Amino acid sequence: MKDIARRFPENPILIPNDIKPSNYGLKVICLLNPGVFTFNGKIWLLIRVAENVTPKDGVISFPVLDEYGNIDVLDIAKDDKDLDTSDPRVMSYKGQDYLTTLSHLRLVCSEDGIHFHEPDNIKTMLTGTGKAESFGIEDCRVSKIEDAYYLTYTAVSASGVGVGLRTSKDWINFKSFGMIFPPHNKDCAIFEEKINGKFYALHRPSSVQLGGNYIWIAESPDGIHWGNHQCIVKTRKGQWDSARVGAGAAPIKTDKGWLEIYHGANENNRYCLGAFLMDIDNPYKVLSRTVQPIMVPTEEYELTGFFGQVVFTNGHVVNGDELTIYYGAADEFVCGAKFSISEILGLLE
Ligand code: MAN
């Protein structure tokens, strides 16, 4: 299978040990799926930090935020017959699903795009707040529209998985707009330009019965209230993206149209990346899509980890023809890879 990614030789560029836990008694289990943006002449990652309490013998601990933002821990014996441990990411106990880690978002910055550090003079941690985020916040896309950054992230709680929105102009003050796409929904990326005066966003509602895990598009007068939802990209039977598809970061403006890098997974939960192209004036119209993936998990750090066989991106930097994606590998490490945009455009069919 053709893989056209040029991976950083330094990969993984961040591993769980590189980041201090958010609180005493917690352990960073995974660093993954960073949102990416440029600000003050630097490249920034808004990383998903997934934590748990220090492991205890014989039990699995589920950390959850209470209404004051404090962490409550539910301990369940590993051999409890009501506990289903088949997925290391989410487990069900007596009919209720719990996440095995609690995620928050952390800012790191870099001068060269390879070596990242936590700055000391700004607020670097964004945590779940309120009932809809009690199981944490994850996989943030950062879109810069005019002078504001729009943060769209997965908000998780016992009531479901939806998309939360916060905005900031200076990364010190944040405005929260609550949940903009209710459950079940994730993978929301807002276009970085208005088209004919309207905001556009890709998002991924899911249906367990009729329908599936497909990419949808919506429009909005203000970036907060969304309507005219339409399904534009579906899973493909028997292919690498047969089980679910979801948008990566904000679409890239090219002279051929809006180019979107997306993830697709098959029935074996192998996550690869592909691309599709939307019409420049009417992004509801998909012009073409790659048949083969443009990136496949092949390296040791992509094949083995918290959840193996995963490359997942929700952030990138564009510099002329060069696209640098940052991605989560095996749901545990942060990595980088470069692509040529014209090469990706050449693979669209
Ligand atoms: C899936 C995985 C997890 C994530 C949950 C909730 O199970 O992507 O990593 O925590 O969904 O979003």
Side-chain angles (χ1 to χ4, degrees):
M1 215 172 261
K2 195 165 185 211
D3 179 334
I4 55 162
R6 283 176 280 122
R7 290 165 175 78
F8 289 9
E10 295 86 356
N11 279 349
I13 54 171
L14 288 165
I15 61 169
N17 267 343
D18 293 336
I19 294 280
K20 281 198 202 76
S22 62
N23 234 310
Y24 179 77
L26 293 181
K27 188 174 161 35
V28 176
I29 312 287
C30 314
L31 282 190
L32 66 164
N33 308 357
V36 182
F37 59 97
T38 52
F39 175 65
N40 278 350
K42 292 183 184 147
I43 295 174
W44 296 74
L45 303 182
L46 187 56
I47 312 171
R48 170 177 170 192
V49 181
E51 300 177 306
N52 203 334
V53 291
T54 315
K56 287 170 263 181
D57 279 347
V59 299
I60 295 194
S61 303
F62 299 99
V64 176
L65 294 170
D66 71 11
E67 57 184 307
Y68 308 104
N70 300 315
I71 294 173
D72 270 349
V73 181
L74 176 70
D75 284 333
I76 296 167
K78 273 185 185 149
D79 56 8
D80 191 315
K81 59 175 184 357
D82 290 321
L83 183 67
D84 174 1
T85 59
S86 52
D87 189 322
R89 304 169 300 178
V90 47
M91 292 184 186
S92 109
Y93 183 64
K94 297 193 168 160
Q96 170 67 56
D97 288 334
Y98 294 96
L99 296 184
T100 54
T101 57
L102 176 64
S103 293
H104 68 274
L105 306 174
R106 197 86 67 93
L107 276 175
V108 293
C109 66
S110 168
E111 283 72 32
D112 63 4
I114 298 164
H115 303 92
F116 285 86
H117 57 91
E118 284 191 79
D120 9 69
N121 51 351
I122 69 158
K123 183 177 152 57
T124 59
M125 216 185 296
L126 296 177
T127 53
T129 47
K131 274 190 184 162
E133 301 179 358
S134 60
F135 286 9
I137 55 176
E138 312 172 342
D139 305 349
C140 190
R141 278 75 174 168
V142 180
S143 296
K144 189 171 186 211
I145 305 159
E146 287 154 13
D147 60 345
Y149 294 91
Y150 286 66
L151 283 61
T152 49
Y153 56 85
T154 305
V156 195
S157 75
S159 306
V161 178
V163 177
L165 172 70
R166 297 182 199 182
T167 60
S168 182
K169 292 188 174 176
D170 53 11
W171 293 95
I172 298 167
N173 302 291
F174 292 85
K175 248 200 221 166
S176 178
F177 295 90
M179 195 174 270
I180 56 166
F181 292 105
H184 187 283
N185 206 311
K186 46 165 63 175
D187 303 324
C188 174
I190 305 183
F191 287 59
E192 294 192 296
E193 254 178 56
K194 289 183 203 165
I195 303 165
N196 303 321
K198 284 182 212 152
F199 289 83
Y200 285 83
L202 301 172
H203 63 101
R204 210 284 298 280
S206 300
S207 167
V208 275
Q209 285 155 346
L210 199 65
N213 301 296
Y214 307 148
I215 299 173
W216 289 58
I217 188 167
E219 59 184 29
S220 165
D222 55 9
I224 302 159
H225 306 89
W226 297 88
N228 195 14
H229 300 265
Q230 292 181 28
C231 179
I232 56 166
V233 171
K234 292 190 171 177
T235 49
R236 293 179 289 197
K237 232 184 168 161
Q239 303 212 39
W240 60 275
D241 51 2
S242 58
R244 57 180 66 87
V245 287
I252 302 158
K253 196 178 191 181
T254 75
D255 51 13
K256 302 268 184 317
W258 295 100
L259 176 68
E260 178 63 17
I261 310 298
Y262 74 98
H263 67 264
N266 64 11
E267 275 74 19
N268 300 323
N269 281 321
R270 185 182 71 153
Y271 284 71
C272 300
L273 303 181
F276 64 90
L277 193 70
M278 291 162 279
D279 185 88
I280 203 78
D281 298 314
N282 173 19
Y284 282 90
K285 199 167 148 195
V286 173
L287 305 172
S288 49
R289 181 172 173 184
T290 53
V291 175
Q292 300 299 332
I294 60 167
M295 189 171 187
V296 177
T298 50
E299 305 303 304
E300 183 59 31
Y301 51 82
E302 297 164 351
L303 294 171
T304 326
F306 183 75
F307 195 74
Q309 297 202 94
V310 173
V311 294
F312 183 102
T313 188
N314 49 293
H316 58 232
V317 178
V318 177
N319 189 0
D321 184 57
E322 186 181 79
L323 167 69
T324 305
I325 67 146
Y326 291 89
Y327 66 100
D331 272 4
E332 185 168 340
F333 315 107
V334 174
C335 296
K338 290 187 191 291
F339 291 86
S340 148
I341 292 178
S342 49
E343 192 178 2
I344 298 173
L345 291 173
L347 294 172
L348 295 165
E349 287 179 27

